[in-house]
Amino acid sequence: MKIIAVGAEGDIGRAAYGELSTRHEIIKVGRNSGDIHADIADRASIEAMYRKVGKVDAVVSTAGAVHFGPLSDFTEEQFMLGLTNKVMGQVNLILAGLNYVNDGGSFTLTSGVLDRDPIRMGTGAATANGALGGFVVGAAIELPRGLRINVVSPGLLEVSEERYGSFFPGHERVSSKRVGLAYAKSVEGAITGKVIIVE
Ligand SMILES: NC(=O)c1ccc[n+]([C@@H]2O[C@H](COP(=O)([O-])OP(=O)(O)OC[C@H]3O[C@@H](n4cnc5c(N)ncnc54)[C@H](OP(=O)(O)O)[C@@H]3O)[C@@H](O)[C@H]2O)c1
């Protein structure tokens, strides 16, 4: 398959790429990294990416920013980062990409553990993750031409321990191998409308 992988150079992206690149042609996308540059926060940039790449069999997104902070300090602007970037950035990959994914192809998004197992300062992430879960359930029954959509929802990765470990007391860390398999299940399997939990 020919697969667009947005965020392929990040911690989760490398896990997905490590699994999928052994069997598929991957076009890595990032704002500054990857084979092609695009910013999911900018719909015009997403459209330009699809025009450049052309038809694909799958789109995998492992990108999306949220603000972390105590609930009482959250500004509306900080809250909106998760909704405009992590949620709408990934949603726009589907809305702009519908005509670029071949019949029977798939979209795979990324959320995370925090809407089911919260941590302090994680409300922005929990909200974005919940919204993405709702989006794939709703979108799956309306996608045309046998297209599928899922969202992978991993716990904290072992490789992300140094950056985020102190925020996740008591959370089991997950291996990149298991996270990669979740992306393979979504891209190569038959399920749709699912939140694929890895924890
Ligand atoms: N790491 C974890 O343990 C973990 C666990 C569960 C969920 N998550 C979620 O998974 C997502 C990715 O996390 P991560 O830790 O893998 O992040 P990361 O290591 O910071 O990597 C992010 C990747 O996405 C790209 N990217 C970032 N913003 C982008 C944008 N606006 N447009 C296009 N590409 C963009 C980055 O490349 P450029 O800088 O070149 O754009 C990079 O390749 C986040 O939403 C995070 O909340 C992470």
Side-chain angles (χ1 to χ4, degrees):
M1 289 187 218
K2 184 174 176 184
I3 302 173
I4 288 177
V6 181
E9 304 274 11
D11 285 354
I12 298 210
R14 275 191 286 270
Y17 179 82
E19 180 64 33
L20 293 169
S21 64
T22 59
R23 297 180 291 281
H24 306 288
E25 179 195 352
I26 312 285
I27 296 120
K28 295 186 193 178
V29 178
R31 288 162 306 178
N32 307 300
S33 57
D35 309 313
I36 288 188
H37 295 166
D39 183 352
I40 61 166
D42 175 1
R43 169 86 183 232
S45 168
I46 294 173
E47 288 168 358
M49 170 196 80
Y50 280 122
R51 279 196 301 275
K52 242 178 263 170
V53 177
K55 295 265 184 178
V56 296
D57 301 296
V59 177
V60 172
S61 167
T62 56
V66 296
H67 176 75
F68 283 91
L71 179 64
S72 53
D73 294 351
F74 254 85
T75 64
E76 183 173 340
E77 194 181 35
Q78 288 167 340
F79 209 83
M80 286 303 288
L81 176 67
L83 300 181
T84 55
N85 193 299
K86 185 164 181 172
V87 178
M88 277 317 298
Q90 296 195 88
V91 166
N92 276 333
L93 283 171
I94 285 87
L95 300 183
L98 278 178
N99 293 329
Y100 288 93
V101 178
N102 292 324
D103 293 2
S106 67
F107 295 95
T108 305
L109 308 183
T110 300
S111 59
V113 66
L114 294 182
D115 59 332
R116 61 181 180 280
D117 195 358
I119 59 168
R120 287 189 188 90
M121 302 200 284
T123 311
T127 306
N129 294 346
L132 287 162
F135 175 75
V136 301
V137 169
I141 63 164
E142 286 200 67
L143 284 177
R145 299 183 289 105
L147 298 179
R148 297 179 300 103
I149 181 167
N150 299 292
V151 59
V152 176
S153 179
L156 181 67
L157 269 67
E158 288 165 355
V159 291
S160 300
E161 175 70 27
E162 203 167 304
R163 284 200 291 169
Y164 304 119
S166 61
F167 295 102
F168 287 77
H171 279 234
E172 184 119 19
R173 279 52 172 155
V174 296
S175 70
S176 296
K177 175 69 188 167
R178 289 188 57 227
V179 171
L181 288 174
Y183 289 89
K185 183 184 284 185
S186 179
V187 171
E188 299 170 343
I191 59 174
T192 191
K194 299 293 182 199
V195 177
I196 303 173
I197 290 172
V198 189
E199 58 188 15

